[in-house]
């Protein structure tokens, strides 16, 4: 397991529990309550999407905290009641209640994600600015926008980027090109293409932790041409002293762990002459099986 907290880059998936990951991240005897611990043996961060749909209990938050080592870092989405229903308006108490529930895991949370709906447009940027100012200053945030005007490189996008730079908030970058290059021939791909936005990829770092959500092709071998762009951009951020967060998705996520590991290794190889990216550990059960084989 990677022991340093000062990792050049953190990589993870969109979830830590998936039945298809038996034998890749978990062994067959792994209980559902043990999956986070097994996941955190390999990956260094995760997208905590469950908080978008419902605030967990304090007991659940404590279990998440206890299941992971100190170097591991969560990212959590703010609840949709804040971002989509209230759209950052009149929600101070809701935010306070949410953060109070999450209190024990705040030291292990790197980025609090503010995913905004497509109707949250340029006219609402003053609301975003006010909202960011009301959050505790020690929290690191990431903002994901989906309104088309924020992707035209015009005044709206320039204003957004300046705002995020001023507030020290990271712009979350969604790269859905691989997903939309796939023919809609499976239910998982059709559903993913229906839900994910198809927007231009603007790779800008507005703060110290640029966030990439790479929505992969269902066939991992088709991802490489799209990932080549990140082989160029990520090293520039690393050289500038930034710590990117890279999250790998796929339509059904069945083979997301293998895809993430392979793409990370490509990045390792690409930067090997200029910097050292630490290896990801093998899952505990694979290490044990390897030891038995050697014996």
């Amino acid at each position: 397991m990677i022991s340093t907290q000062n990792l050049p880059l953190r990589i993870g998936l969109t979830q830590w529990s998936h039945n298809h990951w038996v034998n890749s991240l978990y062994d067959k005897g792994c209980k559902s309550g043990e999956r986070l611990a097994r996941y955190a043996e390999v990956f260094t961060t995760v997208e905590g999407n469950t908080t978008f749909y419902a605030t967990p209990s304090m007991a659940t938050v404590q279990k998440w905290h206890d299941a992971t080592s100190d170097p591991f870092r969560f990212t959590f989405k703010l609840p949709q009641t804040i971002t989509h229903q209230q759209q950052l308006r009149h929600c101070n108490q809701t935010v306070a209640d949410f953060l109070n529930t999450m209190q024990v895991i705040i030291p292990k949370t790197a980025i609090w994600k503010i995913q905004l709906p497509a109707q949250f447009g340029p006219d609402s940027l003053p609301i975003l600015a006010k909202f960011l100012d009301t959050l505790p200053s020690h929290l690191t945030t990431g903002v994901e926008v989906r309104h088309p005007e924020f992707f035209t490189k015009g005044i709206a996008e320039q204003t957004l980027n300046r705002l995020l730079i001023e507030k020290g908030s990271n712009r979350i970058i969604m790269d859905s090109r691989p997903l939309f290059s796939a023919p809609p021939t499976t239910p998982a791909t059709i559903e993913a293409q229906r839900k994910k936005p198809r927007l231009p990829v603007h790779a800008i770092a507005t703060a110290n932790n640029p966030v990439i959500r790479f929505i992969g092709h269902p066939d991992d071998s088709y991802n490489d041409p799209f990932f080549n762009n990140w082989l160029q951009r990520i090293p520039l951020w690393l050289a500038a002293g930034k710590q990117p967060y890279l999250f790998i998705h796929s339509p059904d996520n069945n083979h997301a762990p293998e895809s993430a590991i392979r793409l990370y290794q490509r990045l390792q190889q690409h930067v090997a002459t200029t910097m050292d990216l630490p290896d990801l550990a093998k899952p505990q059960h694979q290490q044990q099986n390897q030891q038995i084989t050697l014996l």
Side-chain angles (χ1 to χ4, degrees):
M1 184 180 294
I2 300 172
S3 59
T4 178
Q5 296 190 38
N6 298 315
L7 294 171
L9 173 144
R10 288 184 180 272
I11 184 168
L13 309 175
T14 63
Q15 59 196 111
W16 61 73
S17 181
H18 193 302
N19 291 336
H20 205 86
W21 296 349
V22 172
N23 294 329
S24 61
L25 288 186
Y26 333 120
D27 58 22
K28 292 183 178 179
C30 182
K31 300 177 182 178
S32 60
E34 299 171 348
R35 288 182 173 182
L36 174 56
R38 301 288 79 79
Y39 170 96
E41 291 171 357
V42 179
F43 296 105
T44 52
T45 188
V46 71
E47 281 194 350
N49 291 323
T50 59
T51 53
F52 180 75
Y53 301 101
T55 299
S57 68
M58 287 186 176
T60 296
V61 175
Q62 185 68 56
K63 289 179 181 177
W64 294 345
H65 175 277
D66 296 345
T68 55
S69 62
D70 286 340
F72 187 83
R73 289 294 177 266
F74 293 88
T75 70
F76 287 112
K77 286 184 181 179
L78 296 191
Q80 61 182 336
T81 53
I82 297 169
T83 58
H84 284 57
Q85 296 173 18
Q86 295 172 287
Q87 294 194 32
L88 310 185
R89 300 172 175 87
H90 314 297
C91 56
N92 289 353
Q93 189 59 52
T94 311
V95 172
D97 292 343
F98 173 69
L99 292 177
N100 182 61
T101 299
M102 304 294 289
Q103 185 66 38
V104 71
I105 212 167
I106 286 178
K108 285 188 176 183
T109 303
I111 300 171
W112 299 89
K113 294 182 174 181
I114 304 167
Q115 179 182 300
L116 296 169
Q119 62 265 35
F120 194 98
D123 291 343
S124 298
L125 286 179
I127 297 170
L128 173 61
K130 182 178 179 181
F131 180 81
L132 291 173
D133 284 341
T134 64
L135 293 177
S137 59
H138 63 279
L139 301 184
T140 299
T141 58
V143 176
E144 181 180 317
V145 292
R146 298 190 175 186
H147 192 286
E149 284 193 47
F150 291 134
F151 296 87
T152 63
K153 297 186 177 180
I155 293 176
E157 183 168 15
Q158 294 168 18
T159 304
L160 168 68
N161 290 338
R162 284 197 299 268
L163 168 62
L164 296 179
I165 292 170
E166 177 188 342
K167 304 300 182 184
S169 184
N170 301 279
R171 181 166 179 177
I172 297 174
I173 306 156
M174 178 178 288
D175 187 351
S176 61
R177 296 171 303 155
L179 169 65
F180 285 101
S181 72
T185 54
T186 67
T189 301
I190 293 170
E191 181 69 2
Q193 290 180 351
R194 184 182 69 84
K195 287 185 174 181
K196 302 298 182 186
R198 190 173 190 173
L199 294 165
V201 182
H202 293 176
I204 180 172
T206 57
N208 291 327
N209 301 114
V211 180
I212 305 161
R213 299 181 65 198
F214 186 83
I215 320 295
H217 191 285
D219 183 340
D220 186 41
S221 63
Y222 286 89
N223 285 321
D224 285 359
F226 300 100
F227 197 71
N228 286 342
N229 301 92
W230 296 113
L231 292 181
Q232 306 305 317
R233 176 64 60 176
I234 291 175
L236 295 177
W237 286 337
L238 295 174
K242 299 185 184 300
Q243 185 190 46
Y245 278 66
L246 174 61
F247 296 99
I248 305 299
H249 309 226
S250 68
D252 57 17
N253 282 320
N254 284 351
H255 300 287
E258 295 93 331
S259 177
I261 291 168
R262 191 185 68 80
L263 293 174
Y264 179 79
Q265 290 172 342
R266 284 197 68 206
L267 180 61
Q268 277 185 303
Q269 294 167 4
H270 187 78
V271 303
T273 58
T274 57
M275 66 186 70
D276 180 34
L277 290 181
D279 292 337
L280 299 177
K282 288 185 177 181
Q284 187 179 84
H285 72 278
Q286 291 185 10
Q287 295 179 28
Q288 292 171 346
N289 291 341
Q290 185 177 23
Q291 292 170 355
I292 292 172
T293 301
L294 292 174
L295 292 174

